[in-house]
Amino acid sequence: MAYFTARIFILVSLVNRFLSAEIPSVTIRLGTISGETKSVIFRNKPYEVDRYLGIPYAKPPTGELRFRKPEPFGPFPEPYSATDFGPACPQAFILPHQPEEKTSEDCLFLNIYVPRQESDQRSGHAVMFFIHGGGFSMGSGTMYDGGVLSSVGNVIVVTINYRLGLLGFLDIDNAKSSGNFGFFDQRLALQWVNEHIGAFGGDKDRVTIFGESAGSLSVSLQMIYPPNDGLFRSGISQSAALTIPGYYQENNIEIAKYFAENMSCSVGDMDEVFSCLRSATPENIIKVVSDTLASGGMADKVKVQPGAVPTIDGEFIKTYPADLYRKAVNEESKEINFFRTLKLMNGVNGKEGAILLMVFGSDNLEDLEITREQMNTQQIPGATALVYGQRTVPEVVKQLLIAEYTDWENPDDPRKLREQIVRLFGDIYFNVPAIEMSRVHSNASDVDSYLYNFVAFLDKHMLPTPNWVGMANHGDELGPVFGYSFDLAALMNISDYTPPEWELELSGRMMAYWTNFAKTGDPNKPASDVVSSVAWPKYDVTSQSYIKFDREDSIGQYLFARETDFWKNTVSTVFDATEHAQTIASQCGSKDKQTCDKDGTYG
Ligand SMILES: *[C@@H]1O[C@H](CO)[C@@H](O)[C@H](O)[C@H]1NC(C)=O
Ligand SMILES: *[C@@H]1O[C@H](CO)[C@@H](O)[C@H](O)[C@H]1NC(C)=O
Ligand SMILES: *[C@@H]1O[C@H](CO)[C@@H](O)[C@H](O)[C@H]1NC(C)=O
């Protein structure tokens, strides 16, 4: 009896403590911000975390400030109550598991989660700054509740919104709209963190940026932008590396015209296009995206992304990363040198290419079949168009790809071919670019480079994923990395969900590796029960070691080495040689081959 009374007493005093808990507040140069304390539970263990939500880090990018680089937000109206998320940036909600958030063009907010434990070092808590994905046209920081990662890992977690689509990336000419505003938003938020995170108990010298998909590409791009020196010391790139195909354009003039035309503006010159887009409401701009997607009639020029993609603006992105890699082999490159001063953790999931299955709708994916005809006349040409753009693909290259992406025990089995398209798209979009990036990063002495492959086949997936895929799809590692803090009721209409125990254990290990990396630069340190089972070795171009996350983790070597060689050496050599031979043949014109050879017009 006494025992129970004591328990009840403790419970009551705990409740009282929560109720009477002081409202957390922080004073910075710009004013005082008050937040709230939340309790969090992970694997039956309770934690507390202070959250400060919806802090404006930039002036609203509206009116004259639309299509301009962001400007820092001035002093706060005091006291600033940071207990609600800010609205998401304007976007069309098209994904199956995407809750419709409130949107506004005034969307440049960040959220901070501060653990209520002592920091691991006197200098303050390590900081993990998350950049969300969504193809630069969707998403927000709101969905990624940093509470569990922050309190279990004892780090500060920051999530942000940045401008998306046309509003974030319009690049028509340098004077009027130079593009890549979304990246400058991310950078301004990083500058905000650099200046103010100390007041929240953070250590500005231990900032790690991490992101998934387009967020991962953002992380990688911020890591090759030398003016970022001092803003962060490491980056975690989850499933999208610098040379992902189809994600860059010279400019988006064609897309801008398409939008203006669809809004019944005259598109005689770019001034007209610009003023049309400048004066359009965000709702009208988003309507063009959703109407176009709904009609299925996206013009060729805009079919890669419903909106606008990053451009080679000459400032944030000076050259295509593939050209940068090539140049860096023989010349000093400021970008690559800067990249190598930073610590990198890079990785891909087991079956990234399963993201492609969305084009077949979300029903009946279990029974999907791909015929040999579809493979040869649609999937292979689709892949080459993505990788090689306008270049005409020689027949021999097409045959090479058909041979590579065939299961030779059952070459025409439609159920084997469906697996091959997942492999094909996984390799070109994610796997080969990831390996290339880790190689470039690690190809110098004294760099800390780590590589992972997340293969675990979870019970629930971010994207429609039939069982035959059998390994992690794009986005699947996010649940474990954030300690399953997602609001599944909002995302998937599932209430009271508890992941299987093995997934929670995996999540505990991954959060430890991720936050260790943020704290010390080494995912294995500080050593703990959680991570002591497998020591994650550094990646280098010789050993090519990586960690494989599954029910039990293990160490492997040469991840996608064969695929990388196939695309980077075999296919490109054959492609170049065939193109060269064709050029010669056309130059020789009507001359017979021997005469042409003797002319020595080529050599
Ligand atoms: C805009 O695009 C939609 C979808 O493709 C189309 O139905 C509509 O007619 C277009 N409007 C104009 C003015 O071009
Ligand atoms: C590493 O760098 C050397 C020297 O720049 C270069 O020759 C080599 O190709 C690079 N290796 C890889 C795997 O990038
Ligand atoms: C959510 O699930 C409940 C119960 O399974 C169902 O009745 C409801 O229609 C679902 N809501 C949506 C929006 O799908």
Side-chain angles (χ1 to χ4, degrees), residues 329 439 443 541:
V329 175
R439 284 189 188 173
N443 196 8
V541 292

Side-chain angles (χ1 to χ4, degrees), residues 56-75:
Y57 65 87
K59 288 185 182 145
T62 55
E64 284 297 299
L65 295 185
R66 182 187 284 179
F67 303 135
R68 292 260 193 89
K69 284 186 195 155
E71 295 183 5
F73 194 86

